[in-house]
Structure formats: structure tokens, C-alpha cells
Amino acid sequence: MTKNSLLCLLLTGAVSASAAETEIRSVATRFAESDAMETPDFQRHVVPLLGKLGCNGRACHGSFQGRGGFRLSLFGYDFTADHEELYGRTDPETPVESLILQKPLMEIPHEGGQRLKPGSWQYHMLLNWVKQDSPPRSEDAAKLVKLDVTPREIVFAEAGEKVQLKAVANWSDGTREDVTDLCRFQTNDDMIADVGRNGGVDSGSPGDTHLVVFYDNAVVTVPVIQPVSDQTGENYPATPTPTRVDKLVVQKLKKLGVVQSDLCTDEEFLRRVSLDVTGALPTAAEIRAFAADTNPDKRSVKIDELLERTGYAAWWATKLCDYTGNSDDQLNNVTPVRQAASQQWYDWIHSRVQDNVPYDDIVEGIVMARSRDSGESYEEYCRNISQLYHKGADRSFADRETMPHYWSRRNFQQMEDRVIGFAYTFLGVRIQCAQCHKHPFDQWTQDDFKGFQGFFTGTTGRVTNPRPQDRDKYKKMLASLETGEAKGNQLRNEFRKLLQQGKVVPFGEVYSTPPAKIVVEEKNGRKRKVRKGSSRTATTARILGQDEMDLTEYQDVREPLMAWLRSADNPLFAKAFVNRVWAGYFNVGIVNPPDDMNLANPPSNRPLLDYLAKQFIAHDFDMKWLHREILNSRTYQLSWRPNATNRLDERNFARAVPRRLPAEITWDIVSQAVSNDEKFAGYTTSLDDRAIALAGAGQRYAQRGNGSGYALAIFGRSIRESNCDCDRSEEPSLLQTIFLRNDAQILGMLDSRDGWLAQVAQENGVRFQSKTPTAGDAAAARKRAQVRRQAQERLTAQKRALARAKKAKNEPQIRKIESQIASMENKYKRYLEGEDKSSGANAGTVDVDRAIEDAYLRTLSRRPSEHEMQVSRQFVADAGDAMDGLRGVVWALLNTKEFIVNH
């Protein structure tokens, strides 16, 4: 705003001359009359008004095609382009005949309908702008520093109450202006609070939500609360808050009148925390011992114990592979051996999670990745990588300094894809909207997106060639291997064979090229300017929300990016990870969805997220500290059983919300539950055959019909296609139900010879016969039918011969044939009666009550209630055969909601 404009406002009374009051009155007041003298500011007034009227929206002139030959930037982010478009529709000589006035007045047909009313303040403001020759945004225009919205929080007492919002813009030139009438307003839940076009708020149902206020590049949220009960403030019941997490959670619940549920039982806690941390069920012995333990700190002790188990590192390596995009589909041709890249990626992360390497250091090894280790020559690099594939190799890819495969994915080669994927993975931000226009719900503009791209330009990700200076070495090494004219896939196949023979082959690599830089070199006594570095590497870039920086100071343009990530001032990095960890334990994030941290999607509990993020940084990004801090809170250990106040609440952490288990854990615990005791216990100590330790992912993996691939696909394992958290699904489906109830794989696991049912039968000395038909069973059945048919034919022939002998009264012949028939009937008895020779009568007796209790402990991690024991006991009795009855009990338990959800 110019000094003359400010003087004009003072003269017209728009601004108080008092130093104590410098707030400029609303445009609705200043332009209420047609004789207003002020010239509206293009950025502060004209563009926001067009947004308010909907002119630059997606459905109108803000669409990519525009409307009626008139196109504005979506949500008004491009002031230059918008001014050019608007200026062509103004008429300074006869302003009232300008198209930008006549069309919205409907004096000329307008597809968008009437947007302006004659004599309104909006009309007067636009008319004044045209009268002054429609001035554009000045080059030295002030920037919006902050948008103050009051009240900062709204607490309603009942439905039907009203509150008016007020928004004041604070500019870098020191001016403050009431811009309420130029703001756009939105509610995140109109059932709880609705907001009108001018900022009037009406209360609705009890609960909490946020209102969102948009102006210029500012997005401000206002929390709205209407208590669900009268148990607020001093009326709130005494509630233990042993940790800082609990204090911050209860602090908000007191405002809402939502009372926390009681603590969960020891059995519920043990099952919940075991599944969450290690992806495995506790053993029956572990459950009995934990329930009997009288140590008041036993839950904390158990958390520490679980964090040291193999399952913790395996599961969190899998989750980090989800976030970073470890997909077989995207790693084609990265290594000579198929699927080796995804395994190497997993192993690299797993090793660091197991060693509790700080999260920022793990990220640094990914963001700053290159194929060679420090000081490694090209020849050494090729030898060291080749040895990884040699038989009996004593080294692992996990020993490498960094993890370059992140940069080699097919869907991570374009700069735009890198920005989008990086923002999802490490910032929890969906920035793709800003690729083409201003983000509708955040502060990011197209300029922010393009500026951020600079950090990703210097890294060569496709590993088809070495660095330019080492290409001769590559060719020489290739020539020595006598691979002929082989290229592409044929050459990779040759490399794979050579590696199996213990040979060293040449590898391409991921590397970073510094930006072009003019340096002065002296040669033969003369100085000259030389351009060094790559012209493909950007020389400038912009950290999100910051000014442009010079990249020529860096050998690797990713250095300032990584420094920004781990900075304590970074508003997103720590919060994104903390929020994802929290979401894994509570079904929803503090910001939800967890990968959509935009200004219009605020945290449900901002102090809680701030606390965890700041302390995570203060504890040097120690992931185990973060897990302990959350798991040791009373909030995590609450029961899932609701009370009257928290029954409908799923976002304020007043109770545990039962949640579907991730696909890998679902498959693992199904396999674990039906295993014998030795294998069951192995799930708590070993990663053999564990789905949570599978490295690869992707559509091809999901489509495999063998092993666990089909089950993992239908239960929603992440396909790691886009880095979005939505690549994983935890939604229930009919197909999942059918699979657990009827799939031959599940039924076969129940009847497995090394399963729990077979173990019970062996321990009790009783017969256990599989009820699950297999291909072998079908062949055996055909064989039995054939033998039965032949036996019946022979018996029929013998009986006819007996009849003839009796008719002839030939006693010796009669005795001979009767003896043959008796021998034949005895020989083929098991075929004639449909009974397998191996299934002799049960010799032992099953301890049914003990077996039923064990079945509950190994599936639901608790003992059955008295009623459940009676029902199960009766079911086994009605089955006629104890083992058949127990099979039915286990099958039923596997198909309960209690088994398939974590509660």
C-alpha cells in the first residue's frame, strides 16, 4: 500500500489516526457509498473479492480451460496473469461498461449467473478500481505476514447459538486491515457448526470441528467445541494423567465433556501391545504369567521387552518401506537379480531400525543416497557390490552407507514425481495440487512447487551407467567379460550368470552432480573462467515457505534439503513421522489422514502433536523413545468399551477404537494361531515365514496366487505405488470374510500335521483325521472307489457261485466258497464300509476344557467366560468326535471380530 493510499484512507476515516488504533476498517464499510475515494489494491482487495464471488474457482474461470474465453488462475495465485486477463475486460473511459462489471451484473448474459448487485459495496469497489485504470500489484508490494481471526476458539453451550468471526490481515508494511468481508469460510463438519459467507457461525450438534478461513495465501483454522455432556471444567470427574500425553489429551476432553473409558484388562493390554509392536500374538504361557504378575510396572517392563523383539524391527522396517515406496514394480532392472533390490532396501532399513539408529539419520541415508561408499573407487564399488551376489557372501547390502534404490524407482525419475513423492514420504503433505495452481487448502503455490524441484535435479537415479568419468572403466570391464553384443535384459541376464560364477561385473550407479558454477582457473600463467558442473542441476531452489537460495555453494544440492529436514524449525518433518506412529496405535492420526498435513486439516489436538514432535527432536529422533512415550500413556492403555460420553468419539482418544489389523499381521496371526506350541512361540522370537518381514510389494506381488500373496492382497497390503498412505487398505470386505471361512488354505492350515489340533490329538492319544480335501485326497478317494467296485464285483460273483453250489448240494464246495467270501469281506471291509484302515477307534480321551481354554488363549489371548466355556463344551459334545468339535471351535474363533481386530 502506497503512502498516498494510506493518507487517503486517513482522510476518509478508514484508519484511525490514533497510534493505538491502526486497523483499517472493512471494505464493506469503506465502499458502502458510491462516492468512496479509495483505489482498491489488486492483491488485497480485487483478487480476494473474485475468490469470494467464486470467479476464480475450479467450476468457473479458474478452470484450466477458463470460461467464455476468460481464464483466471485457480484461487488467484498468479497476479500478473490475472491482471492481464482482467485489464482486457475493463473500460477506463466508461468504467460502468466494463465487462468485469456488466457480466456479473447480468446486464450481459453470463453463464455464471448474477454475482454482483447494483449499488453494493462489491460493485463500488470494482468500479473504483476500473476508474483508476485498474492498477496491478506493485513490484514492491507488501506481503501478508499473518491473518488474525477472532475468536481464536469457539465454545458453544447448545445448538442454535451464533458467533461472528472477524479476520484482520497484517501486512509487512505495518498496516492492519479488517478483511472479514473478503475472506472465504468453510466448516469441516456442518453438523457441528455451520458458517455463512460472511463469517457468521451457527452451532449444531455436540462435538468438535474446525472452521477454515481463507485470505490471500493465509489459511487459518478456528476450533469449535460444543460439549457432549455437562461434565466439563470443574464438573469433570477426577481422571489420572500420569504422563504428559495424558495431560494434553484430558485437557481437551474436559472442554468437550468427554470422559475417558477405564483402563483395559491385562489380557487386552498384552494382546494389543504385542500385535501393535511385534505383529504377533502372545503365547498362552506369557498371558498366564503376565496376568499373575503383581509388579505395578509390569506394563512398562513388557513394552521395553517387546521393543527388543525381532518383530518390532521387522514391522517398522516394513512400515518405513511403505512410506519410502519399496516396490518390486518400480525397481525393474535396478539389479541383475530379480527382486534383489527390494530385499536390499528392506535389509538396509531393518538393520538400522534394529540398531535404533535415529530416524533423521535413516532419512539422511535415503535422501543423500549414492551408490558408492565414501572413498570407494569405481573398481572397488563394482567388486564390493558383485560380492553381495556371490555364493556364501559374508556381507550384506545393509552394511552399505546409504540406500540408493530410493532414487532408482521408475516412478521417481521426473522432477515433479520426486517433489510429490518426497513430500508424501517425509513431510506428510499432498503437494501435487500446487504443481499446477495454488493449493486449495494450503499455503503452497505453483512457485513453491517449482522452486522446491531444484533440490531434486542433481541426482541421477537410473543405474544403467556409471559416472561420466568412469565410463571407460565400465567399457573395459565389460569387454573383459566377453558378453558379446548382449544389451538390455540380455546383458543383465549375462551379468546374473557371471555373478553366480563368482565374477565381478560392472554396475551403473546413483550419483549427484553439482550445479554449474563459474570458477577461475590458472593455466600456463593465464587466468580464465571455466564453467564446472552440470547445466541440468538447478543453481537455485526454494525450501517450502522460505526464500530462494543459491545452490552453487554445494557439491550436492540435496545438502540444504536434508539440513532443513532435521532442523528444529522444520514445521513438518518430525510431526509427519510422529503423527504416523500415533495413527498406527490409535486408528486415526492427530492429523487425519496422516499424510494430509495441510493448513485446512488441522490437528485434533495441536498441543499434543507439538509436544510429541518437539520431544522427538529433543531426544535426537529416537524412535524407541517415541514408541515408549505413546505406549506408556494411560491413553494408549484405555479400554475399547465406551461410556455414554465417548461412545461416538473416535478422534479425541477417550477410548481405544477397535481397528482392523494390517494385512501382514492378519496373515501372521492366523498362521500362528493354528500352529503347534513350538511354532507358535517361534513367532515371538523368529522372523521365519513372517509376512511382516516380506521385503517386496506391488501389483505383481499381490497377484501371486501361491503362499501368502493372495491373502495379503485381499487384506489390503500396501502396493507401494504412489507413496500415499492410501496404497494400504485396512477396510473390511466380504472377500476377507469368505477367505477366513471357506478358503482351502485356511482349512488346510487347521488340519496341518504340524498344527495345534494335530498336537492335541497326539498328546491325548486320539485319532485326528483331516477334513480338508486336497488333490492327494481326491486321488486316494478315486483309488478306494475303484477297489470297492472291484471287491463288490468279485463278491457278487462268489455269492452267485455259492448259490449254485447250494442248489447242487455240494457241501465241500459250499464250505470253500463261504470261506473265500468271509476272507474277502474281511480284506475289503474298510472299502466296503467307507472306513479308512488307518482310522482306528480313539484310544485316548481329550481334556476338552483344557483344549478349549488353550484355543481361546492362542486366538483371543484370554480365557473363555463361563458362558463361552459352556457353549464350546456343548458344541464339542454335539460333534460326536472331540477333535472334530475342537476344529469347529478354533474355526469359529478365527472368524470372530475379536480375533481379526486389535482392541
Side-chain angles (χ1 to χ4, degrees), residues 784 788 829-841:
R784 286 195 297 271
R788 185 186 307 114
K829 179 180 179 181
R830 63 191 175 113
Y831 296 103
L832 296 172
E833 296 180 0
E835 181 180 336
D836 194 329
K837 184 178 180 181
S838 64
S839 60

Side-chain angles (χ1 to χ4, degrees), residues 761-791:
Q762 183 179 14
E763 290 174 348
N764 290 275
V766 299
R767 168 177 52 89
F768 177 62
Q769 183 177 352
S770 172
K771 296 291 184 179
T772 308
T774 65
D777 293 336
R782 288 193 295 271
K783 178 68 176 176
R784 286 195 297 271
Q786 182 182 2
V787 173
R788 185 186 307 114
R789 187 168 57 252
Q790 292 172 347

Side-chain angles (χ1 to χ4, degrees), residues 471-576:
R471 284 177 185 169
D472 288 342
K473 297 175 183 177
Y474 176 92
K475 292 176 183 177
K476 182 179 178 181
M477 193 179 295
L478 183 62
S480 69
L481 294 171
E482 299 179 354
T483 56
E485 299 297 321
K487 294 181 179 179
N489 286 333
Q490 290 180 339
L491 182 59
R492 276 184 288 274
N493 287 334
E494 290 298 318
F495 282 172
R496 177 174 51 80
K497 295 174 184 176
L498 290 167
L499 289 169
Q500 290 172 347
Q501 298 169 17
K503 300 291 182 66
V504 174
V505 304
F507 283 87
E509 55 183 315
V510 172
Y511 59 92
S512 180
T513 305
K517 188 175 184 180
I518 304 298
V519 297
V520 178
E521 287 188 348
E522 185 173 342
K523 188 175 182 180
N524 299 326
R526 297 183 61 182
K527 292 182 179 181
R528 60 173 184 162
K529 291 183 178 180
V530 179
R531 184 185 185 92
K532 287 196 171 184
S534 172
S535 58
R536 294 183 179 179
T537 305
T539 56
T540 61
R542 286 175 58 187
I543 293 290
L544 291 177
Q546 297 185 19
D547 295 330
E548 189 175 81
M549 66 165 56
D550 181 7
L551 295 180
T552 61
E553 302 174 11
Y554 301 94
Q555 280 296 107
D556 189 331
V557 297
R558 300 172 295 179
E559 290 178 30
L561 178 64
M562 188 60 227
W564 172 68
L565 282 185
R566 57 165 39 118
S567 165
D569 297 328
N570 187 296
L572 296 167
F573 178 62
K575 287 181 180 178

Side-chain angles (χ1 to χ4, degrees), residues 319-601:
K319 298 196 81 166
L320 289 173
C321 283
D322 282 356
Y323 304 151
T324 52
N326 179 9
S327 168
D328 290 309
D329 292 349
Q330 305 302 331
L331 292 169
N332 266 5
N333 306 327
V334 169
T335 57
V337 179
R338 284 185 179 180
Q339 297 172 357
S342 63
Q343 187 66 54
Q344 291 169 355
W345 189 328
Y346 178 88
D347 291 344
W348 190 91
I349 291 180
H350 177 266
S351 172
R352 283 149 182 80
V353 175
Q354 191 170 43
D355 294 341
N356 200 33
V357 172
Y359 175 66
D360 64 322
D361 287 346
I362 295 176
V363 172
E364 181 180 16
I366 297 172
V367 173
M368 299 297 298
R370 63 211 174 276
S371 292
R372 294 193 212 176
D373 282 353
S374 301
E376 201 172 41
S377 68
Y378 182 67
E379 293 86 351
E380 291 170 335
Y381 160 65
C382 292
R383 183 176 66 251
N384 291 337
I385 296 297
S386 293
Q387 288 175 353
L388 297 177
Y389 301 95
H390 293 168
K391 188 175 181 180
D394 60 353
R395 61 181 66 191
S396 165
F397 190 87
D399 300 326
R400 305 289 294 174
E401 291 178 0
T402 62
M403 210 290 299
H405 300 333
Y406 173 81
W407 294 89
S408 300
R409 293 169 294 158
R410 292 190 304 174
N411 62 348
F412 204 68
Q413 298 314 303
Q414 300 301 316
M415 296 309 110
E416 295 86 353
D417 293 335
R418 288 181 173 182
V419 170
I420 293 169
F422 181 92
Y424 264 127
T425 299
F426 301 117
L427 304 176
V429 169
R430 301 179 182 182
I431 202 173
Q432 58 267 37
C433 289
Q435 183 177 356
C436 303
H437 53 77
K438 184 185 181 302
H439 198 294
F441 306 117
D442 218 330
Q443 59 187 308
W444 315 125
T445 66
Q446 191 176 30
D447 288 341
D448 291 316
F449 188 97
K450 290 180 177 178
F452 201 49
Q453 283 183 194
F455 297 110
F456 303 93
T457 57
T459 305
T460 300
R462 299 307 288 165
V463 288
T464 53
N465 289 302
R467 302 177 190 184
Q469 61 267 36
D470 292 312
R471 284 177 185 169
D472 288 342
K473 297 175 183 177
Y474 176 92
K475 292 176 183 177
K476 182 179 178 181
M477 193 179 295
L478 183 62
S480 69
L481 294 171
E482 299 179 354
T483 56
E485 299 297 321
K487 294 181 179 179
N489 286 333
Q490 290 180 339
L491 182 59
R492 276 184 288 274
N493 287 334
E494 290 298 318
F495 282 172
R496 177 174 51 80
K497 295 174 184 176
L498 290 167
L499 289 169
Q500 290 172 347
Q501 298 169 17
K503 300 291 182 66
V504 174
V505 304
F507 283 87
E509 55 183 315
V510 172
Y511 59 92
S512 180
T513 305
K517 188 175 184 180
I518 304 298
V519 297
V520 178
E521 287 188 348
E522 185 173 342
K523 188 175 182 180
N524 299 326
R526 297 183 61 182
K527 292 182 179 181
R528 60 173 184 162
K529 291 183 178 180
V530 179
R531 184 185 185 92
K532 287 196 171 184
S534 172
S535 58
R536 294 183 179 179
T537 305
T539 56
T540 61
R542 286 175 58 187
I543 293 290
L544 291 177
Q546 297 185 19
D547 295 330
E548 189 175 81
M549 66 165 56
D550 181 7
L551 295 180
T552 61
E553 302 174 11
Y554 301 94
Q555 280 296 107
D556 189 331
V557 297
R558 300 172 295 179
E559 290 178 30
L561 178 64
M562 188 60 227
W564 172 68
L565 282 185
R566 57 165 39 118
S567 165
D569 297 328
N570 187 296
L572 296 167
F573 178 62
K575 287 181 180 178
F577 185 71
V578 163
N579 190 51
R580 278 180 164 132
V581 173
W582 183 277
Y585 291 136
F586 288 91
N587 193 53
V588 295
I590 305 172
V591 173
N592 206 59
D595 63 348
D596 193 12
M597 297 182 69
N598 67 71
L599 294 177
N601 184 36

Side-chain angles (χ1 to χ4, degrees), residues 275-276 279 315 318-319 322 583-585 587 659-670 691-692 711-712 714-718 728-731 736 900-902:
L275 291 173
D276 276 342
W315 178 231
T318 292
K319 298 196 81 166
D322 282 356
Y585 291 136
N587 193 53
R659 55 194 189 278
R660 238 283 318 277
L661 291 165
E664 297 91 333
I665 296 177
T666 297
W667 177 253
D668 276 350
I669 68 168
V670 169
I692 62 168
L712 294 177
I714 64 172
F715 281 99
R717 186 176 190 241
S718 177
R728 175 181 291 277
S729 171
E730 293 182 6
E731 294 298 318
Q736 296 165 7
I900 209 64
V901 302
N902 200 357

Side-chain angles (χ1 to χ4, degrees), residues 733-752:
S733 70
L734 179 60
L735 193 58
Q736 296 165 7
T737 302
I738 293 172
F739 178 80
L740 286 175
R741 290 188 178 185
N742 299 319
D743 194 89
Q745 195 171 12
I746 296 293
L747 300 177
M749 290 161 66
L750 280 168
D751 292 339
S752 172

